[in-house]
Amino acid sequence: MSIFTKIITGEIPSYKVAEDDNFIAFLDINPNAKGHTLVVPKKEEDKIFDLSKEEYSSLMDFSYRVAKAIEKTIVCKRVGMSVIGLEVPHVHVHLIPLNSMADIQFSQKVKLSNDEFIALAKSISKNFE
Ligand code: AMP
C-alpha cells in the first residue's frame, strides 16, 4: 500500500485541499514553493501513462480545478505542472506556484509550520470549485 493510499484511507494525515470520489489533492509536505499541491487518483497505480485514457483525462480535469484554486489563493507568475513519481510509486500531479525556474526544479525547498500548512490548505480549498 502506498503512502498516498494511507492518506486516502485516513491512516496518515494530510493537509487536504480537495476531494471527490476518485481524486484527492493535498499539500506536498516538502514543498518547492508555498502552495505546492499533489493531485492523486484514489485508485493506486504507479505510472501515469498506465492509467486509461479516461482516468488520465479525469485526473487532468481535477488538476485543472485545483490549479485554478491555487491561482486564486497564491500570488505567483503561474502554476506549473510536473509528473515525476520516482519517490512515491502512486500517480500524482505536482501543481507548483512558480515565480522562477528554480521553483520547478525540486532542489530549493520552503519550510512551513504546521499552522501555516493548515491555513494554506484551508485557503486553497475555499477557492476550489
Ligand atoms: P515524486 O514521487 O518524485 O514525484 O515525489 C513525491 C513527492 O511526494 C515529494 O515532493 C514529497 O515531498 C511528497 N510527499 C511524500 N510523502 C508525503 C506525504 N506524506 N504528504 C505529502 N507529500 C508527501
Side-chain angles (χ1 to χ4, degrees):
M1 191 194 284
S2 80
I3 189 157
F4 292 165
T5 294
K6 287 183 180 165
I7 287 175
I8 291 157
T9 60
E11 225 173 294
I12 62 170
S14 72
Y15 301 103
K16 192 164 74 180
V17 162
E19 183 172 19
D20 73 2
D21 287 347
N22 299 313
F23 302 100
I24 187 169
F26 50 84
L27 297 178
D28 194 298
I29 205 71
N30 188 22
N32 290 13
K34 199 175 168 187
H36 182 167
T37 301
L38 303 177
V39 184
V40 182
K42 290 187 175 177
K43 180 186 157 200
E44 188 176 326
E45 184 74 66
D46 179 0
K47 296 186 259 177
I48 191 163
F49 298 118
D50 284 343
L51 294 175
S52 69
K53 271 185 174 175
E54 291 71 24
E55 289 164 342
Y56 174 83
S57 297
S58 302
L59 172 63
M60 288 301 133
D61 286 348
F62 197 83
S63 300
Y64 178 97
R65 291 165 62 202
V66 176
K68 290 284 180 194
I70 295 170
E71 274 179 353
K72 279 188 191 161
T73 315
I74 307 282
V75 178
C76 60
K77 287 187 175 164
R78 64 185 59 217
V79 173
M81 184 167 79
S82 174
V83 176
I84 306 170
L86 290 170
E87 193 185 316
V88 178
H90 182 153
V91 175
H92 51 283
V93 173
H94 293 264
L95 295 174
I96 306 170
L98 303 180
N99 287 299
S100 75
M101 202 59 176
D103 295 325
I104 199 81
Q105 285 169 345
F106 293 86
S107 46
Q108 175 186 289
K109 297 290 179 176
V110 297
K111 285 266 171 269
L112 298 175
S113 69
N114 183 49
D115 286 350
E116 285 174 312
F117 272 119
I118 290 170
L120 191 52
K122 201 172 165 191
S123 309
I124 298 171
S125 70
K126 272 190 193 156
N127 286 322
F128 180 74
E129 290 172 357

